[in-house]
Amino acid sequence: MKRTFLTLVLGLAAGVGAHLAYYRQHAPAATDTLEGQLVWMKSELHLTEPQFARIKELHQASHPRLQAMATQVAVMQSEFAEFEKNRRTSDRVDFLEFARFVESRRDLNQACLDSTKQLVLASAEVMNPEQRARYLQLVASAEPLVGALLN
Amino acid sequence: MEVKASPGIKYEGLGAGVVLYDTHPSLHSPMKTPPDPLDPLLDRWSETPEPSPRLAANIWQQIATHEQAGPISWRQSIEAWFGRPMFAVGFITACALLGLFVAELRVSQLQRERNAQLARSYLLLIDPLFNAPPTDRRS
C-alpha cells in the first residue's frame, strides 16, 4: 500500500515537474513594442540579419509618421461621432462642414494607405520570394491594403 | 538367456551385476565400485517419519481459508502491479512523458494565440486605418 502510494506520488511529481519545466522554457514571451514585433517577424519569416536590419530601419523610419496618422484617424473618428450626435439631436446638418470633413477624411485615408503601401512594398523588396509571399499573406488581412497592393 | 557354465567358473547374479569367479567364491573378493552419494540419502528416506496427527485437519483448514479469500480484488491487483519495480519505473516515466505532452499542447496553443495577436499588433502598427470602421476605410 505504502509502495503504491509512493509510486503514485512520484509519478504525479514527475509529470507536473516535467510539464512546468517544459512550459516555462518554451512559452512565448508577450511583447507589444515595435522591437518585439520585428523580432517576431524575423522568426516568422526566417529573415537573415541584413534583411532584418534593413526592415527594422524601414519600420523605425516610418513609425512616427504612421503613429501620427493613427492619432489623426482617431481624432477624425471622434469628430465624426460628435457630428452625428449633433445631427440627431438638433436635426440640422451643416453641409459645408460635412463636405469639408469628408474631404479631409478622404485625404487622410489616402495618405494612410500610401504610407502603409510604401512601407509594405519596401519591406517586401528586401525579402526573397518565399518570405515575400508569406509577408503579403500576413498583411493581406488588412482589408484596404489588399486592393492597394494589387493595384 | 541361458549361460553355460564352464568347468571351474561359476556365475552369480544377473546382467551387469554378474560376478565372475574362476574357481570358488571363497577364494576371490568381488570387484569394488565407488560409493554412491545417493545411498545415504536413500537410507534416510527409507526412515519415513510418522505424519502429524493434525495433518488432515490442517489441510482442511487451509482449503477453507482459500475458499473464504475468494478472487483477488482490484485493489490487491493494483498493489501487485505497483509492487513490481519495472512497472513502477514505467509508470513514473509515463507520467513525465504525459506532462511533457500536455505542456507541448499548451505551448502550441499559446504560440498560435500569440502569433495571431502579434500579427494584429503589427497590422495596427503599419496601417493607421486598421481599427477604423469599414465605411471610413473606403471613403
Side-chain angles (χ1 to χ4, degrees):
Chain A
M1 183 63 195
K2 194 177 172 184
R3 192 169 179 169
T4 304
F5 182 72
L6 184 69
T7 310
L8 286 171
V9 168
L10 277 174
L12 190 70
V16 171
H19 177 88
L20 291 178
Y22 187 88
Y23 187 77
R24 277 183 193 167
Q25 203 176 347
H26 293 87
T31 176
D32 277 332
T33 60
L34 173 64
E35 187 75 25
Q37 284 165 4
L38 290 173
V39 168
W40 164 75
M41 219 168 87
K42 184 187 175 188
S43 70
E44 193 73 10
L45 301 174
H46 307 292
L47 298 173
T48 61
E49 282 302 327
Q51 283 177 323
F52 177 65
R54 177 70 187 132
I55 286 170
K56 189 175 173 182
E57 193 183 314
L58 287 167
H59 280 78
Q60 280 174 340
S62 60
H63 186 56
R65 192 175 68 251
L66 290 168
Q67 215 167 21
M69 284 176 171
T71 311
Q72 269 183 291
V73 168
V75 168
M76 209 156 259
Q77 277 171 2
S78 62
E79 277 177 10
F80 181 72
E82 189 68 25
F83 185 85
E84 273 291 293
K85 191 180 166 190
N86 283 342
R87 189 183 64 81
R88 280 178 190 167
T89 50
S90 65
D91 207 21
R92 272 172 41 200
V93 181
D94 188 341
F95 286 104
L96 277 177
E97 195 189 342
F98 184 70
R100 269 201 306 273
F101 175 78
V102 170
E103 185 64 29
S104 57
R105 195 174 66 172
R106 184 178 296 139
D107 290 346
L108 178 62
N109 286 4
Q110 192 56 50
C112 289
L113 276 176
D114 288 344
S115 297
T116 306
K117 184 181 171 183
Q118 198 181 338
L119 174 63
V120 169
L121 291 179
S123 300
E125 210 168 305
V126 180
M127 300 171 189
N128 65 33
E130 199 180 321
Q131 291 167 333
R132 193 177 302 131
R134 176 91 180 87
Y135 178 61
L136 292 179
Q137 192 186 358
L138 172 76
V139 296
S141 46
E143 194 196 330
L145 278 176
V146 182
L149 290 167
L150 292 175
N151 291 334
Chain B
M1 192 178 86
E2 196 178 332
V3 180
K4 278 192 173 181
S6 305
I9 297 177
K10 287 188 177 177
Y11 298 90
E12 277 186 4
L14 290 168
V18 171
V19 182
L20 300 176
Y21 303 96
D22 56 357
T23 53
H24 194 270
S26 60
L27 298 177
H28 297 271
S29 60
M31 287 168 69
K32 287 201 173 178
T33 53
D36 193 337
L38 273 176
D39 288 345
L41 291 172
L42 287 169
D43 291 343
R44 210 182 306 160
W45 175 67
S46 62
E47 297 161 10
T48 313
E50 282 297 312
S52 160
R54 287 188 49 79
L55 178 66
N58 285 341
I59 288 169
W60 281 114
Q61 192 183 354
Q62 280 196 14
I63 289 168
T65 311
H66 276 286
E67 278 174 357
Q68 275 175 4
I72 299 169
S73 68
W74 61 271
R75 194 172 161 180
Q76 285 172 320
S77 175
I78 288 172
E79 278 179 21
W81 276 101
F82 277 97
R84 298 174 188 177
M86 284 301 287
F87 181 82
V89 170
F91 175 78
I92 292 167
T93 310
C95 284
L97 289 175
L98 183 70
L100 287 176
F101 176 70
V102 174
E104 175 57 33
L105 286 183
R106 278 186 69 197
V107 166
S108 300
Q109 172 73 19
L110 193 66
Q111 193 80 49
R112 275 198 298 277
E113 285 171 11
R114 193 61 51 77
N115 280 351
Q117 185 198 335
L118 279 166
R120 191 178 162 75
S121 301
Y122 178 72
L123 291 173
L124 198 64
L125 188 86
I126 63 161
D127 183 10
L129 298 173
F130 187 69
N131 268 351
T135 48
D136 283 12
R137 310 181 96 185
R138 290 195 188 95
S139 62

